[in-house]
Amino acid sequence: MLGQLLVSHARLSMVHKLRGLALPEPPEALLGLKYGVFVTVEGIVRSGGYERREVRGSLGTVFPMQDLGHDVARIAARLAVSIPRFTEFDLRRSVVEVTLVEGLSEWDGDLSNFAWGREGVYVEAGERRFVVLPQTIIERRLFGEALLRYVESMGGAGGTLYKFSTRIFYEVRPEGEVIERELWKSRVIKQFVR
C-alpha cells in the first residue's frame, strides 16, 4: 500500500510538472511521515530481442525537508524537468522507483556490519556531498573494499561517512504493479557473501 501511494504520487507529480500544472495534493497517509527520499526514472530499452532498464535520472535527499508527501512531489517534479528532452510520452514508457531513507548514522567504514542490498552510504567530503544507494552498489558491483575505493574516488580521502537503511518501491512495468525490491536476496550479493 505504501509503495503504491509513493510511486503513484511521484508519477502524478511529474505529469503535473510536465504539463505546467500545480503539484497535486499529497495523499493524507504520506503527510505525517518523515523520511529521506529518492525518486528514480528508468527507461525501458529494447535491443537485440532483450529488454533492460536504463536510468534516465535520479534525485533525492537523505534528510526529510517537510513531510514525505510534499518531499516526493517536489523531488519528482524537479527530476522530471532535469532529464534532458523528457516528455510525458517518455514517462509513460518508463518505470518509477521511490527509495525511502532512514536511520542515517555516522559509519567508520567497517564492512563486517554493512547490510548489502539494504544499506546505502552518504558522504560529506569538504563541500562535496554524495550518496551511493544500494541499487548503485549492486549495479556497479561495489562489494567489499570496492565500495570504499569508490567512495574515496568520488569524494577524496578524509570524508565523513554515514550509512542508512532503505526501502525501495518500484513498478514492475511502466504504470504497472508496484512491489518492494528485496535487493538483499540478489544472487549477485549471495555470490559475494559466500
Side-chain angles (χ1 to χ4, degrees):
M1 177 71 180
L2 176 62
Q4 182 65 50
L5 273 177
L6 288 166
V7 171
S8 62
H9 185 49
R11 184 176 278 284
L12 183 60
S13 299
M14 285 188 263
V15 167
H16 276 230
K17 186 66 174 182
L18 291 169
R19 290 180 180 175
L21 304 172
L23 293 180
E25 285 299 314
E28 259 187 66
L30 301 180
L31 292 178
L33 303 175
K34 298 270 189 188
Y35 291 94
V37 64
F38 284 80
V39 178
T40 303
V41 172
E42 296 179 338
I44 305 296
V45 178
R46 292 174 181 90
S47 175
Y50 293 97
E51 194 175 90
R52 64 180 166 80
R53 294 170 180 226
E54 186 174 277
V55 175
R56 294 286 310 269
S58 185
L59 192 62
T61 178
V62 294
F63 304 105
M65 296 176 289
Q66 189 174 347
D67 59 59
L68 190 54
H70 288 95
D71 291 353
V72 166
R74 282 197 297 251
I75 290 168
R78 271 198 329 219
L79 176 60
V81 295
S82 72
I83 300 172
R85 300 176 306 280
F86 191 66
T87 66
E88 193 175 337
F89 177 73
D90 295 320
L91 179 59
R92 284 196 304 270
R93 295 177 34 206
S94 301
V95 293
V96 176
E97 178 178 88
V98 177
T99 302
L100 297 183
V101 172
E102 64 181 334
L104 185 71
S105 61
E106 200 162 334
W107 180 49
D108 62 4
D110 178 9
L111 296 169
S112 66
N113 66 0
F114 192 81
W116 302 99
R118 295 179 199 241
E119 292 183 325
V121 179
Y122 171 66
V123 182
E124 292 180 347
E127 296 295 313
R128 194 158 160 73
R129 311 273 187 270
F130 67 94
V131 173
V132 186
L133 293 172
Q135 301 92 307
T136 304
I137 292 170
I138 290 177
E139 288 163 7
R140 296 186 181 190
R141 290 180 167 55
L142 299 173
F143 300 113
E145 294 294 323
L147 175 59
L148 299 178
R149 286 191 302 273
Y150 178 78
V151 165
E152 189 172 318
S153 74
M154 295 294 289
T160 305
L161 302 179
Y162 300 85
K163 67 178 182 173
F164 54 82
S165 298
T166 62
R167 289 185 70 193
I168 306 164
F169 302 98
Y170 81 120
E171 296 171 317
V172 176
R173 310 274 327 142
E175 300 182 296
E177 176 189 9
V178 175
I179 64 169
E180 185 167 358
R181 291 182 78 179
E182 297 174 329
L183 295 177
W184 61 92
K185 293 182 177 178
S186 164
R187 69 181 145 82
V188 174
I189 291 176
K190 288 178 182 174
Q191 289 170 351
F192 164 73
V193 173
R194 282 186 208 155

